[in-house]
Amino acid sequence: MKKAEYAIRLKEITKSFGNVVANNKINLFAKQGEILALLGENGSGKTTLMNMLSGIYRPDSGSIFIYGEEVYITSPRDSFELGIGMIHQHFKLVDVLSARDNILLGTKRKEGRGTSSLSRGIEDICTRFGFEIDLNKKVHNMSVSEKQTVEILKVLYRGAKILILDEPTAVLTPQETEKLFGILRRMKEEGCAIIIITHKLNEVLEISDRVTVLRKGESVADVVTSETDAISLTSLMVGRPVELSINRPEPAGNESLLEVYHLTVIDDEGKKAIDNISFSLNAGEILGVAGVAGSGQKELCEAIAGLHGVEKGAILYKLENIVGKTPDEIIKMGISMSFIPEDRLGMGLVASMGIVDNLLLKSYRSKKGLFIDRKPPAELAKRLVKKLDIVASDFDSPVSRLSGGNVQKVLLGREIESKPNVLVTAYPVRGLDINSSYTIYDLLNEQKQKGVGILFIGEDLDVLLELCDRIMVLYDGRITGIVDAKSATKDEIGLLMTGSKLEAGA
Amino acid sequence: MGGIKKHKRKEPLIRIAKREGLSKPKTVALKVCATVLALVAGGLFIAAQGHNPFSVYFFMVKGALGTKMSFQETVKVAIPLLISSLGITLAFRMRFWNIGAEGQIIVGAIAASYFALYKNTMPHAVLMSVMALAAIVAGGIWAGIPAFFKSRFGTNETLLTLMFNYIAQYMIQYLREGPWKDPNALGFLQIARFSDNARLGSVLGIQAGWIVALLLTVAVYIYINFTKSGYELRVVGESENTARYAGMNVKRIMMRTMFISGAVCGLAGMLQASGTDRTLTDTVAGGVGFTAIIVAWLANLSAPMILVVTALFSILEKGISFIQSRFMISSAAAAVLQGIILFFVLGFEFFTRYRLVLRREAR
Amino acid sequence: MGQHDYVISFIFASVLAGVPLLFGTLGEIITEKAGHLNLGVEGMMYMGAICGFVAGYHTQSPFLLLLCSFLGGAAGALVYAFLTVTLFANQNVTGLALTIFGAGFANYIGEALIMKAPNRAAVLSDNITRFFGGIYIPVLSDMPVLGRLVFQYNIFVYFGVLLAILGGIYLNRTRRGLNLRAVGENTAAADAAGIRVVLYKYIHIVTGGGICGLGGAYIAVVICGGTWTNNCVNGLGWIAVALVIFAGWSPYRTILGSFVFGSLDVLRFYIPKDVINIPTAFFAMVPFAVTAAVIVITSIRKSAVNAQPRCIGINYFREER
């Protein structure tokens, strides 16, 4: 073991999907007892690279060395046998099983289920690292951070000495993040090699010993954390110096557009997803919504858009109640409201259709007669492609072949084109690189200045704090506070996200 | 590090990688290739029975297309197959697994037969229209019931439409043995032949249904690609969520599409009973509803392609019934061959979406 | 016949009629637990029926009959598994293709068998039909009521019930069963946990097919009395697929479910004509109509939603993004 200096060493790894080169001759290494941050924008190839270590993908070319020996990882199983464990951003847990069963899954240990000796095995790990978890709880009853704990336990139980975490803090509150970092430091002390994928600079600086920066699928830098700073890391990541602040024009009006009164929404499983909330959205403002995933954001958006039934309460648009109306009726009432859903290709767009047919989606009805008319959307497509710099080979090939940023632009472009008064948007920059993200922010600000009221469901607190005028925090379907984004702090919002109520609502 | 020592695995010889969609001509070429290979496999199967596959295939084609009469017979086989494939395609485009064409054909035929047997004094043109209309409505309702439950409660449409096939099948048996039994058939349990007035006339020596079938091919193509309803059903098929998001009434679209799908199949039943069988028999559908599923899938759910595949399958079907006596081959061979063709085509679809990558050469 | 005997005889006949459903449903449950919906049960039953029949016909060996019927069903399932697991073909269409192929295959071979057979009837030898006849255990089989209700069936019945119980234990109590459930519930998670997903799928789809094949053998040997009959399965495979939903993916509940549906099949012999005169066609329709009703009712009650393996019908490609 001593002879191998590197726990992991990747040499000239290349991987492409179709015509897209996701990783191009990437080199990377990580030592034992070291936390390496893998930094890069969305789409820079971080997850792809790490998935080649976890056995999900296979490199087109290049070699992987584990403790100095060249290996071929052909499945997640190989990966485990090599002592590598990856905690994926989208957890890979079986919902209907308990935490214990999930941890045991696929392992060969002989102990029967539920026997004391086995539980001790898992509980040992818990006490050693300070996890608090009910092993008999079913995963679908767990909060996001509990699920993450199960994932980490799963990896540790398999004896992993090399840990890879993909954006582990994206779903956590600042306080939970601190706790996670504490655990990572413990692991580091025990001699684990840890790679943490992230695009958040402050976290890189806080937790890592070394940083490898990826840009557009290539490794562009490898620096010791203590010798660098946020500004130089950003320019490494983006490839040019970047102004890191988002514009925030003054609110364009204060007339109230949308008023929500005592809204309660029951989700598909019969639980209260939204629990008696009231707020209002003004014309010309961006109202941010913060909260850990699953706090009711999805149901709130869908209720406003008429896609989800409402149990109790009212949603007034210009003083007219729209609760109980179908999306179709809402459109027909002349209310121009646009909802940009979280699941772009599963909800907002038709993946297998081209741009033109997708632009038809909301306008095809306005034409009289039996037939559809593709001319207006074709012209609109041309206009949007030009205005928003959409990169598309032609207008008829499936939008699923476009990159995430372009897909988002098509969707946002279509919604804005319908000249809405209210725009509801959920995670509009998820998966986008910095350039595309700023295009989206600019588009939203442009709408704001036209007097559109925007409800912005976000996940990155830094963005929320810089872009929005007010931020409403959801916890477990309730509003724990509405704060002024100009004066609020991240910690303050973080606390609200964990459910501690603000004394006097803003 | 015990694990690492055990880990001596070599890289496997081949692996699978995804590819961006294949061009249309290449996709078609792959399907042709699969069909040819399937015929080769079918040939091996025939050879295993001690027949010469080349002469079997030769006589099949000859039997289907050799004479004017055999050609006319083949077209007769093609009419219900083409029409019900078109009907199924409408449902499949919406990802609604309508396995119930068989039953929809039957109820269509039953409804038409009622007028043919008991209300046949109307003028011919009127009677034909009434029969067609009855078949359309009956087929539509028969398909609409599963659609209702699917759209309301998410009921499994595959199984439900399938059960409806059997129910329809036994309905004919009931009519044949009971209320519609031909009193003049000397105790045979059968339904009387239609009077001349209730028989569909011929055009160019073939029952007029072929004109209906061709018109429907065009109509279905236009409906799917250029009408609002067609656009809606395609969106629903891709993602119900998207459809709801766009303000579409998914339930209504589902019911409407399935009604049309069943109506088209029902019409096939009327044409078969009135144009070909001239009575109502147990075999009015005769497995066409199932073959139609294969046809629709092979044709990529595209109306013009369905025309081509139907032609191929009709030759197969007619050809096999021709060689049946000559080679002592059971007509079930048609189903075997169809199954094999479908297996190959399903297998070959793999190559339109994925490619195989050989192991990298040692450095 | 006394009231008492009448009921006992009805139950006895129901159990006998339910056996093919028991095998078919069990096979399909195992398949579906691996995340694959195989609509080819009907076809696999046909393949099992003809393969077993041909083996029994030529060798006179009950054991080879069973083995070959298992292998016949398994062979059909193997084709399905290769197409859907390895080549990612659409599960619905592949299953239908298997049904069309299986039925054609059985009728084709069966037709050839009939044509060569004396008197144009292919009949199994007596020692085979006797082997699969009712058992007789001294004392036990002679008990009043219980003897007939429990100890006089043919070996298929006991084997089927045993298989269901073993299946239940396997699924719910063993590590392999846990892994299998994980594959069906969340294939990606199972894969990431190091379970050999492809292997699991193949093994369980093929085994499931083999079990369906045994159900086919039962139809050929017991229901058709050892004489090959074309189109002998006649929709039982489809009812088995539906019964999976009715049984809520539980092998235990399958036992009861298949016998209840078996009773629908024999109903016509137990409702006296002078009580209600129902045309035979309606009796033949009953199992299908009731199945349809059950499918609708379970969907209205939403009871199936939670029991169904989450990943059913979705092919798994690891590199899918």
Side-chain angles (χ1 to χ4, degrees):
Chain A
M1 203 162 97
K2 293 277 176 285
K3 69 182 181 209
E5 185 190 354
Y6 300 127
I8 297 181
R9 195 172 143 77
L10 303 180
K11 237 174 101 182
E12 307 262 291
I13 296 283
T14 298
K15 173 76 182 173
S16 44
F17 296 100
N19 308 322
V20 183
V21 183
N23 287 166
N24 188 14
K25 295 192 177 163
I26 292 187
N27 292 305
L28 176 148
F29 66 91
K31 296 180 222 165
Q32 295 176 47
E34 176 184 65
I35 297 180
L36 171 74
L38 189 55
L39 180 70
E41 290 193 65
N42 285 317
S44 60
K46 302 169 301 220
T47 304
T48 304
L49 184 66
M50 288 301 108
N51 269 334
M52 281 184 271
L53 282 173
S54 73
I56 301 284
Y57 296 153
R58 305 255 304 284
D60 294 341
S61 65
S63 4
I64 301 172
F65 298 87
I66 303 293
Y67 301 112
E69 235 177 281
E70 179 160 14
V71 295
Y72 297 100
I73 303 174
T74 60
S75 70
R77 198 186 180 84
D78 290 353
S79 179
F80 281 135
E81 283 171 5
L82 289 167
I84 303 170
M86 178 155 170
I87 288 123
H88 298 268
Q89 188 178 8
H90 302 288
F91 302 137
K92 306 224 171 185
L93 295 172
V94 183
D95 275 356
V96 295
L97 298 182
S98 66
R100 175 180 283 110
D101 281 348
N102 266 289
I103 294 166
L104 288 178
L105 212 58
T107 58
K108 278 186 189 151
R109 294 207 190 171
K110 282 281 174 275
E111 301 97 318
R113 287 205 293 145
T115 62
S116 54
S117 67
L118 181 86
S119 293
R120 235 184 288 133
I122 299 173
E123 272 148 21
D124 276 346
I125 300 171
C126 288
T127 40
R128 209 164 87 218
F129 292 98
F131 294 113
E132 288 154 22
I133 187 136
D134 174 5
L135 288 173
N136 294 319
K137 198 168 175 182
K138 293 269 197 300
V139 169
H140 61 82
N141 292 328
M142 288 184 170
S143 71
V144 188
S145 81
E146 278 176 303
K147 287 181 190 171
Q148 190 179 58
T149 307
V150 177
E151 282 282 24
I152 295 174
L153 272 171
K154 208 165 106 184
V155 164
L156 292 177
Y157 182 72
R158 285 163 165 74
K161 286 286 181 186
I162 299 166
L163 261 97
I164 303 163
L165 298 100
D166 190 357
E167 303 272 4
T169 61
V171 292
L172 302 182
T173 63
Q175 288 77 11
E176 287 167 334
T177 302
E178 268 319 303
K179 212 167 145 193
L180 173 70
F181 284 175
I183 289 163
L184 292 184
R185 289 192 189 102
R186 287 287 286 276
M187 292 178 186
K188 174 180 149 182
E189 281 160 26
E190 301 218 352
C192 291
I194 296 169
I195 301 179
I196 170 168
I197 299 178
T198 180
H199 63 269
K200 293 181 184 168
L201 294 169
N202 50 355
E203 288 176 0
V204 173
L205 294 172
E206 187 188 338
I207 187 82
S208 72
D209 301 309
R210 210 156 43 77
V211 192
T212 295
V213 185
L214 296 192
R215 190 199 316 148
K216 290 183 178 152
E218 300 188 19
S219 42
V220 290
D222 187 337
V223 289
V224 174
T225 311
S226 54
E227 294 166 8
T228 188
D229 56 38
I231 295 167
S232 52
L233 280 178
T234 316
S235 47
L236 280 172
M237 186 160 84
V238 186
R240 58 183 165 76
V242 171
E243 181 64 47
L244 266 183
S245 63
I246 305 169
N247 273 336
R248 175 160 44 202
E250 278 303 304
N254 51 10
E255 156 213 11
S256 168
L257 260 184
L258 195 72
E259 281 168 40
V260 172
Y261 288 111
H262 304 291
L263 185 71
T264 298
V265 177
I266 306 286
D267 68 9
D268 304 332
E269 276 151 31
K271 284 186 286 195
K272 274 187 189 171
I274 290 290
D275 189 1
N276 194 21
I277 69 170
S278 303
F279 66 92
S280 69
L281 172 66
N282 293 339
E285 84 160 341
I286 300 184
L287 174 62
V289 178
V292 288
S295 298
Q297 295 96 325
K298 180 168 168 272
E299 287 78 6
L300 174 61
C301 293
E302 295 190 3
I304 295 175
L307 290 165
H308 203 302
V310 167
E311 181 75 7
K312 242 175 41 204
I315 301 170
L316 304 188
Y317 170 84
K318 291 190 175 166
L319 300 178
E320 187 170 0
N321 193 358
I322 58 170
V323 165
K325 300 207 187 309
T326 63
D328 190 27
E329 285 166 340
I330 293 176
I331 295 168
K332 276 187 187 145
M333 276 170 68
I335 299 177
S336 43
M337 177 148 58
S338 282
F339 170 37
I340 293 156
E342 167 186 358
D343 182 5
R344 301 190 280 256
L345 286 176
M347 192 160 192
L349 295 171
V350 183
S352 69
M353 291 183 178
I355 295 179
V356 172
D357 275 13
N358 268 299
L359 292 178
L360 260 176
L361 200 59
K362 285 206 162 165
S363 59
Y364 76 97
R365 247 180 305 233
S366 55
K367 187 186 168 283
K368 287 209 172 58
L370 281 175
F371 295 94
I372 48 174
D373 183 3
R374 287 198 171 83
K375 259 188 220 130
E379 275 158 27
L380 175 59
K382 265 186 227 154
R383 218 150 20 93
L384 284 181
V385 163
K386 222 164 140 192
K387 184 181 163 199
L388 303 180
D389 282 324
I390 297 171
V391 184
S393 52
D394 63 281
F395 297 158
D396 292 321
S397 52
V399 288
S400 57
R401 290 198 204 154
L402 301 179
S403 74
N406 287 315
V407 168
Q408 187 65 30
K409 285 179 197 166
V410 171
L411 182 54
L412 201 59
R414 181 185 74 201
E415 295 305 329
I416 288 172
E417 199 58 34
S418 68
K419 302 200 170 50
N421 290 324
V422 173
L423 200 60
V424 178
T425 158
Y427 315 110
V429 297
R430 182 178 278 180
L432 304 192
D433 60 26
I434 291 183
N435 261 331
S436 306
S437 301
Y438 275 76
T439 313
I440 304 292
Y441 300 143
D442 289 345
L443 275 172
L444 292 176
N445 273 328
E446 192 184 306
Q447 293 301 305
K448 169 182 171 179
Q449 282 168 305
K450 282 185 184 162
V452 177
I454 299 172
L455 191 69
F456 179 97
I457 318 288
E459 47 195 341
D460 191 331
L461 293 186
D462 294 314
V463 171
L464 280 165
L465 282 167
E466 285 186 56
L467 177 71
C468 304
D469 300 303
R470 288 184 300 151
I471 298 173
M472 169 169 103
V473 186
L474 285 180
Y475 170 77
D476 202 15
R478 280 168 291 136
I479 296 177
T480 46
I482 298 179
V483 297
D484 186 346
K486 279 183 212 116
S487 56
T489 66
K490 226 168 134 175
D491 279 334
E492 204 178 318
I493 295 176
L495 272 175
L496 291 171
M497 283 165 69
T498 55
S500 26
K501 247 200 151 83
L502 209 63
E503 280 314 313
Chain B
M1 299 297 112
I4 186 114
K5 295 215 170 56
K6 280 188 291 176
H7 195 88
K8 285 260 163 62
R9 196 162 287 125
K10 278 289 275 214
E11 209 193 342
L13 192 62
I14 40 175
R15 63 186 178 84
I16 297 165
K18 206 154 183 171
R19 73 157 112 220
E20 294 293 318
L22 214 56
S23 67
K24 267 233 170 87
K26 276 189 183 164
T27 313
V28 172
L30 264 176
K31 290 215 168 183
V32 171
C33 193
T35 310
V36 170
L37 273 178
L39 289 177
V40 171
L44 291 177
F45 183 73
I46 292 167
Q49 309 290 310
H51 304 294
N52 178 353
F54 292 103
S55 67
V56 168
Y57 281 138
F58 173 76
F59 279 104
M60 265 168 61
V61 176
K62 196 179 161 206
L65 304 173
T67 64
K68 190 177 166 198
M69 217 184 64
S70 60
F71 175 75
Q72 289 172 345
E73 287 294 311
T74 306
V75 175
K76 255 192 202 171
V77 171
I79 294 166
L81 187 56
L82 175 57
I83 297 180
S84 32
S85 304
L86 292 169
I88 283 176
T89 295
L90 289 167
F92 276 26
R93 265 298 182 86
M94 197 176 60
R95 303 262 165 92
F96 188 107
W97 300 103
N98 178 14
I99 315 299
E102 192 87 354
Q104 290 144 22
I105 294 171
I106 291 174
V107 294
I110 291 177
S113 298
Y114 171 75
F115 290 96
L117 292 169
Y118 301 107
K119 307 278 173 205
N120 53 16
T121 50
M122 297 177 230
H124 181 68
V126 178
L127 181 61
M128 283 299 119
S129 315
V130 168
M131 281 166 67
L133 198 67
I136 286 170
V137 171
I141 290 174
W142 204 243
I145 297 168
F148 171 81
F149 288 115
K150 162 87 173 178
S151 64
R152 230 12 76 124
F153 309 110
T155 311
N156 183 322
E157 78 275 20
T158 316
L159 291 173
L160 197 55
T161 50
L162 205 112
M163 293 303 140
F164 272 51
N165 289 342
Y166 286 97
I167 296 174
Q169 184 71 54
Y170 286 113
M171 231 143 65
I172 298 194
Q173 193 194 327
Y174 162 70
L175 294 170
R176 178 166 59 81
E177 293 172 354
W180 288 9
K181 190 170 80 180
D182 183 3
N184 305 322
L186 305 167
F188 283 109
L189 298 172
Q190 65 184 44
I191 292 166
R193 294 182 70 74
F194 293 174
S195 67
D196 283 346
N197 193 34
R199 294 179 185 181
L200 187 65
S202 308
V203 178
L204 300 176
I206 312 167
Q207 65 131 308
W210 66 271
I211 300 173
V212 179
L214 289 180
L215 286 177
L216 271 174
T217 311
V218 179
V220 167
Y221 177 75
I222 292 174
Y223 182 79
I224 290 179
N225 294 298
F226 299 106
T227 67
K228 286 183 185 176
S229 322
Y231 177 73
E232 285 174 339
L233 82 86
R234 283 188 291 137
V235 174
V236 170
E238 182 68 36
S239 157
E240 273 184 44
N241 278 334
T242 308
R244 279 184 343 115
Y245 166 82
M248 294 179 187
N249 185 339
V250 175
K251 286 176 188 164
R252 206 182 56 211
I253 294 167
M254 209 178 260
M255 300 272 294
R256 179 181 65 206
T257 307
M258 268 305 277
F259 182 88
I260 298 173
S261 172
V264 171
C265 294
L267 186 60
M270 174 264 172
L271 293 173
Q272 178 68 19
S274 167
T276 302
D277 297 343
R278 276 123 198 238
T279 179
L280 179 64
T281 71
D282 277 352
T283 54
V284 60
V288 165
F290 289 103
T291 312
I293 296 165
I294 309 183
V295 171
W297 194 261
L298 286 189
N300 264 353
L301 306 182
S302 126
M305 283 296 292
I306 285 176
L307 196 59
V308 177
V309 180
T310 301
L312 177 76
F313 269 51
S314 306
I315 291 169
L316 191 72
E317 197 102 16
K318 184 76 202 28
I320 280 178
S321 73
F322 177 75
I323 59 167
Q324 200 171 352
S325 48
R326 188 184 180 102
F327 291 92
M328 299 269 283
I329 287 177
S330 154
S331 62
V336 175
L337 262 181
Q338 285 168 0
I340 293 176
I341 292 177
L342 190 51
F343 283 149
F344 271 87
V345 171
L346 283 167
F348 266 68
E349 275 178 7
F350 171 82
F351 295 102
T352 62
R353 287 175 292 149
Y354 304 91
R355 62 197 165 85
L356 297 177
V357 182
L358 287 177
R359 177 164 62 195
R360 296 170 264 156
E361 288 309 308
R363 284 168 300 273
Chain C
M1 208 161 34
Q3 197 81 40
H4 213 69
D5 291 341
Y6 188 75
V7 172
I8 290 172
S9 153
F10 177 58
I11 295 176
F12 188 77
S14 302
V15 169
L16 287 183
V19 173
L21 295 175
L22 177 57
F23 281 98
T25 309
L26 277 179
E28 182 67 5
I29 287 179
I30 293 175
T31 307
E32 292 192 13
K33 283 286 180 185
H36 280 242
L37 178 69
N38 188 349
L39 292 181
V41 175
E42 179 97 353
M44 295 185 295
M45 280 183 152
Y46 269 117
M47 292 178 77
I50 190 66
C51 291
F53 191 92
V54 169
Y57 188 70
H58 289 301
T59 66
Q60 266 85 44
S61 156
F63 171 73
L64 282 179
L65 184 149
L66 288 178
L67 181 71
C68 287
S69 67
F70 183 89
L71 291 179
L78 185 64
V79 172
Y80 171 89
F82 179 68
L83 286 171
T84 57
V85 179
T86 303
L87 298 181
F88 313 116
N90 180 295
Q91 294 182 13
N92 270 336
V93 182
T94 308
L96 283 167
L98 185 55
T99 288
I100 292 168
F101 173 83
F105 179 79
N107 287 339
Y108 182 86
I109 304 283
E111 192 74 30
L113 214 57
I114 289 171
M115 281 196 228
K116 283 181 207 144
N119 302 325
R120 298 250 150 160
V123 186
L124 290 176
S125 65
D126 276 351
N127 69 332
I128 290 194
T129 26
R130 223 178 302 123
F131 182 84
F132 293 114
I135 58 161
Y136 178 78
I137 308 167
V139 187
L140 288 179
S141 301
D142 293 330
M143 286 194 294
V145 187
L146 215 58
R148 182 128 168 90
L149 277 185
V150 182
F151 297 109
Q152 285 186 26
Y153 298 109
N154 60 58
I155 56 162
F156 271 108
V157 176
Y158 303 104
F159 183 52
V161 172
L162 183 71
L163 205 60
I165 293 169
L166 290 178
I169 293 171
Y170 175 76
L171 281 176
N172 299 317
R173 298 255 174 271
T174 68
R175 184 65 72 82
R176 289 224 166 84
L178 174 69
N179 290 351
L180 176 64
R181 282 186 289 144
V183 170
E185 281 295 334
N186 187 340
T187 318
D191 190 24
I195 295 171
R196 293 177 205 275
V197 169
V198 171
L199 187 70
Y200 264 82
K201 289 191 168 197
Y202 262 93
I203 287 177
H204 292 95
I205 292 171
V206 170
T207 310
I211 295 173
C212 293
L214 289 175
Y218 182 89
I219 296 173
V221 177
V222 179
I223 293 188
C224 298
T227 308
W228 178 257
T229 320
N230 279 339
N231 298 316
C232 56
V233 181
N234 191 29
L236 282 175
W238 289 111
I239 295 186
V241 176
L243 251 177
V244 173
I245 302 173
F246 182 66
W249 287 264
S250 153
Y252 305 132
R253 263 178 281 172
T254 303
I255 302 175
L256 185 67
S258 56
F259 295 154
V260 167
F261 273 73
S263 74
L264 300 176
D265 217 22
V266 295
L267 207 55
R268 73 186 101 169
F269 306 115
Y270 291 88
I271 293 185
K273 276 257 187 312
D274 50 326
V275 179
I276 334 161
N277 190 8
I278 301 171
T280 49
F282 280 133
F283 275 116
M285 199 190 282
V286 163
F288 301 101
V290 173
T291 306
V294 164
I295 297 167
V296 170
I297 291 165
T298 44
S299 71
I300 292 174
R301 289 172 51 209
K302 301 270 174 227
S303 46
V305 177
N306 296 322
Q308 175 169 347
R310 227 46 60 90
C311 282
I312 217 161
I314 306 163
N315 290 328
Y316 178 67
F317 177 50
R318 187 185 282 151
E319 297 203 4
E320 196 74 66
R321 288 192 298 174

